[in-house]
Amino acid sequence: MDLVQLVYYSRNLLADDDKGQLKLLREILSIARQKNVERDVTGYLIFDKHWFIQILEGDRAHVRATYERIARDPRHTQVTLLDTKPVRQRTFSQWSMGGAMRNLDQQEVFLAHGIAGQIDPTKLNAAKIVAVASDLAALSGGRASQAA
Ligand SMILES: Cc1cc2nc3c(=O)[nH]c(=O)nc-3n(C[C@H](O)[C@H](O)[C@H](O)COP(=O)(O)O)c2cc1C
């Protein structure tokens, strides 16, 4: 398999009340998980009120097609590709798409990576994002509890 890992970020256009946002995010994650399982794509989605930051892993053609589909989604804008690189193994092999709303435990992970307050993906590189997401994924413990 021509295994790659892709990292992008985008501006979130979801409703700004927390309840509406959570509902839409559940929908996004649910569809993402269904489709990603079919294509053996794995990854992690970090989000807050302003940003989505997502990592997609899998066969190059599947990752590219998934990214192109996501990039056309009207629920976000300014979709910005940070990196696509070949990898020997997946970082998120247990996750058809992990992701969770920021809570106190997550906050600790961000702080441990030197990210205090609002996250600003325009100031992060792909390696940093993968490191943070990998620690966030470890918090919630794999496929059995894909939060949110
Ligand atoms: C931030 C964000 C992340 C998404 N992640 C995925 C994903 O990982 N995989 C996926 O198939 N769809 C994902 N989607 C949903 C796609 O944009 C799209 O709505 C869905 O795949 C259905 O596509 P279709 O209507 O062309 O079948 C995501 C959407 C958003 C806004």
Side-chain angles (χ1 to χ4, degrees), residues 8 31-32 35-36 52 54 56 66 69-70 73 75 97:
Y8 79 85
I31 292 282
K35 296 217 167 219
N36 293 353
F52 289 119
Q54 192 172 24
L56 298 168
T66 301
R69 192 152 28 80
I70 295 170
D73 195 308
R75 292 172 286 196
M97 188 49 60

Side-chain angles (χ1 to χ4, degrees), residues 11-14 24 27-28 52 72-77:
R11 268 316 232 193
N12 183 342
L13 291 177
L14 300 181
L24 279 163
E27 279 168 32
I28 288 173
F52 289 119
R72 289 194 298 268
D73 195 308
R75 292 172 286 196
H76 59 174
T77 185

Side-chain angles (χ1 to χ4, degrees), residues 3-119:
L3 193 65
V4 298
Q5 186 180 64
L6 178 154
V7 183
Y8 79 85
Y9 65 83
S10 62
R11 268 316 232 193
N12 183 342
L13 291 177
L14 300 181
D16 44 36
D17 69 296
D18 285 356
K19 220 170 145 194
Q21 205 170 60
L22 204 55
K23 185 168 169 278
L24 279 163
L25 280 163
R26 286 213 170 95
E27 279 168 32
I28 288 173
L29 283 173
S30 161
I31 292 282
R33 286 166 184 164
Q34 275 170 41
K35 296 217 167 219
N36 293 353
V37 164
E38 286 165 18
R39 291 167 183 81
D40 199 17
V41 167
T42 50
Y44 201 86
L45 178 66
I46 297 173
F47 50 81
D48 67 10
K49 274 192 163 48
H50 306 286
W51 301 102
F52 289 119
I53 308 172
Q54 192 172 24
I55 300 152
L56 298 168
E57 310 170 323
D59 180 65
R60 182 182 296 275
H62 284 153
V63 166
R64 182 177 302 150
T66 301
Y67 174 69
E68 284 171 1
R69 192 152 28 80
I70 295 170
R72 289 194 298 268
D73 195 308
R75 292 172 286 196
H76 59 174
T77 185
Q78 293 172 39
V79 181
T80 306
L81 184 62
L82 279 180
D83 194 25
T84 310
K85 65 169 187 185
V87 285
R88 301 228 325 257
Q89 59 187 37
R90 296 170 192 251
T91 309
F92 303 93
S93 55
Q94 298 302 303
W95 300 83
S96 54
M97 188 49 60
M101 207 73 159
R102 256 222 239 190
N103 59 25
L104 286 177
D105 288 342
Q106 287 214 348
Q107 198 65 21
E108 264 181 42
V109 171
F110 283 105
L111 281 174
H113 285 273
I115 301 167
Q118 293 286 341
I119 193 164

